[in-house]
Amino acid sequence: MERQGVSNRDFLALDCISATFGVTAAWLGHDPSVLGEHWGYHRRTGTVDAEWPVEQLGIHRRTPEETLYDWYGLVADHVHHADPVRAEEYIRAQLVDGNPVIAWVDTFHVPHSSFHRQQHHSHRIVIRPGEGDDKAVAGSLRIVDRYQGSLFDGFMDSGTLLTAMSSDALGEARRGDPDWRNRTVVVKAGTPDSGRARETTTQARQQRFHSAVARSARSCAGTDLVIACADELRTTPDAFTSLSPVGTIEVSAWFGELASQRALNARFLRAAAESCALPSLHDRAADAEALSKRWEMTRNYFFLRFRKGSTAVQRIADLITETATLEKEWQARTRESLATSGRQPTGRTPDEPEPLGPTGAVP
């Protein structure tokens, strides 16, 4: 799938939200790497009915909608349709206008999902405008799913899609979520003065990337919040050896979203390295990739082992602390990389730290 010379086939994400907005940004001719512009942690606002302390921490300081608006002036129209009929009418009208549509679906009804006919799970996909032979497939719509767990680019029967969009299971999603049934998002170009990223010069782009990296790398306070969560698990491990089904999904999703964000951070740092002519940021991108793998392995360990008792909970706490400590080192190295920007280095200096080593296997 290509649009305005930008391909999304090399873009994928470890979470479906980033995947759908990344695909849409690429369709509109923009670099989706900006979705990884930020990292760090903050305490979530509002009441959170948490079972594990990590649930109290937010990962994303800005939504994809806010990021795409700020960088490219793109605006997102969220619509909650009254019923599947009106949802289909809206989708088809948007596709005729050439606009991709992000839609919520229940994977139980999605043929390409590994959860098909097995498990109800909220997911997002992109319905893309048809081109050429695409329009010849009667009764079907072109679907793009660039979530790494269910890669797909093909057709889905419109009746199946609408069933997936209107499933009652979407009304029973994660804690604090709204009713996701019959919901869509369409991302479009805004007015000429939308967002702050109106500058198109090379110098302006370089400054934008440099400022974004510096802003995220400036503080390590967030990692201290994560370590505090690990300390709480370690202090009273017996209190965390059981979780409700919803709690299990929430904690697993927290680790998964964190792994996804670090992978997006790596993509952003590679783009910043090219834009700012800072090769050392490629090493920082490699660090972020290593951190992504560590968080993904921690997620797998949690999912498979946390019910084994207090020893497993303590091991999870240790893994969290170890990775958060590596994140502090990563942020410090990123600040060092930025400090060399005035010298425009051509490679790693003798006193510059090596990239983080291999993550190894989680026992």
Side-chain angles (χ1 to χ4, degrees):
M1 179 174 90
E2 294 189 1
R3 181 72 168 227
Q4 298 180 23
V6 176
S7 172
N8 77 358
R9 289 192 181 277
D10 64 343
F11 180 84
L12 50 84
L14 292 170
D15 74 280
C16 63
I17 298 174
S18 299
T20 53
F21 280 99
V23 165
T24 304
W27 175 267
L28 295 171
H30 299 291
D31 181 2
S33 70
V34 299
L35 294 174
E37 68 158 0
H38 61 274
W39 52 86
Y41 307 89
H42 62 282
R43 291 200 177 278
R44 294 172 61 183
T45 58
T47 302
V48 179
D49 185 18
E51 296 179 56
W52 269 41
V54 294
E55 293 182 73
Q56 299 283 359
L57 299 185
I59 296 166
H60 306 281
R61 292 186 178 275
R62 298 207 298 181
T63 65
E65 294 96 323
E66 291 169 332
T67 299
L68 294 179
Y69 177 84
D70 190 39
W71 278 81
Y72 304 130
L74 301 178
V75 294
D77 293 333
H78 287 254
V79 181
H80 188 188
H81 306 280
D83 52 55
V85 174
R86 295 188 183 184
E88 181 177 20
E89 291 174 351
Y90 177 84
I91 290 169
R92 292 192 179 278
Q94 292 297 323
L95 295 178
V96 168
D97 289 341
N99 299 319
V101 180
I102 298 172
W104 279 259
V105 293
D106 176 5
T107 55
F108 185 86
H109 302 287
V110 176
H112 71 261
S113 172
S114 60
F115 293 148
H116 185 230
R117 299 298 176 188
Q118 299 293 323
Q119 183 177 338
H120 294 280
H121 187 71
S122 176
H123 186 55
R124 301 192 197 193
I125 59 172
V126 176
I127 310 166
R128 55 157 279 191
E131 293 183 331
D133 293 339
D134 292 359
K135 298 179 180 179
V137 183
S140 297
L141 293 169
R142 186 68 177 268
I143 304 299
V144 177
D145 190 344
R146 299 299 292 167
Y147 165 62
Q148 193 163 310
S150 57
L151 298 177
F152 180 77
D153 187 343
F155 294 95
M156 185 185 298
D157 177 78
S158 59
T160 300
L161 173 63
L162 293 172
T163 297
M165 288 182 60
S166 59
S167 170
D168 288 341
L170 293 178
E172 305 167 357
R174 293 171 57 182
R175 291 194 193 108
D177 279 1
D179 184 343
W180 292 126
R181 286 174 291 187
N182 300 313
R183 285 184 180 262
T184 60
V185 181
V186 172
V187 179
K188 304 176 182 179
T191 59
D193 59 345
S194 295
R196 293 192 291 111
R198 298 300 89 206
E199 307 95 338
T200 59
T201 65
T202 300
Q203 183 177 4
R205 178 177 172 83
Q206 176 181 339
Q207 181 58 42
R208 190 69 191 277
F209 271 100
H210 192 284
S211 297
V213 174
R215 184 172 58 249
S216 287
R218 229 181 336 252
S219 172
C220 291
T223 50
D224 292 334
L225 294 174
V226 180
I227 292 173
C229 288
D231 290 342
E232 185 176 345
L233 292 173
R234 196 179 292 109
T235 302
T236 56
D238 290 334
F240 301 105
T241 54
S242 63
L243 278 169
S244 68
V246 172
T248 302
I249 292 173
E250 291 289 335
V251 177
S252 179
W254 189 87
F255 286 121
E257 290 170 8
L258 184 48
S260 180
Q261 190 63 13
R262 292 296 169 266
L264 289 169
N265 297 150
R267 187 184 182 106
F268 180 78
L269 285 167
R270 287 193 292 269
E274 296 299 326
S275 178
C276 299
L278 278 174
S280 58
L281 287 182
H282 283 294
D283 292 335
R284 306 294 74 82
D287 293 344
E289 290 281 9
L291 291 166
S292 174
K293 292 175 182 177
R294 283 190 64 94
W295 285 122
E296 182 66 16
M297 287 190 292
T298 303
R299 176 193 188 186
N300 293 338
Y301 185 91
F302 158 80
F303 194 78
L304 295 172
R305 300 295 297 276
F306 85 91
R307 293 185 181 87
K308 299 294 184 180
S310 59
T311 301
V313 173
Q314 289 176 322
R315 177 57 183 149
I316 294 167
D318 290 342
L319 291 170
I320 293 172
T321 300
E322 291 165 10
T323 306
T325 301
L326 289 173
E327 289 199 344
K328 281 190 175 183
E329 297 175 12
W330 167 56
Q331 293 190 74
R333 290 169 175 172
T334 301
R335 290 193 296 272
E336 287 182 26
S337 294
L338 292 177
T340 69
S341 60
R343 293 184 275 121
Q344 296 297 310
T346 57
R348 188 183 296 114
T349 58
D351 59 345
E352 186 179 352
E354 295 289 330
L356 298 180
T359 59
V362 175

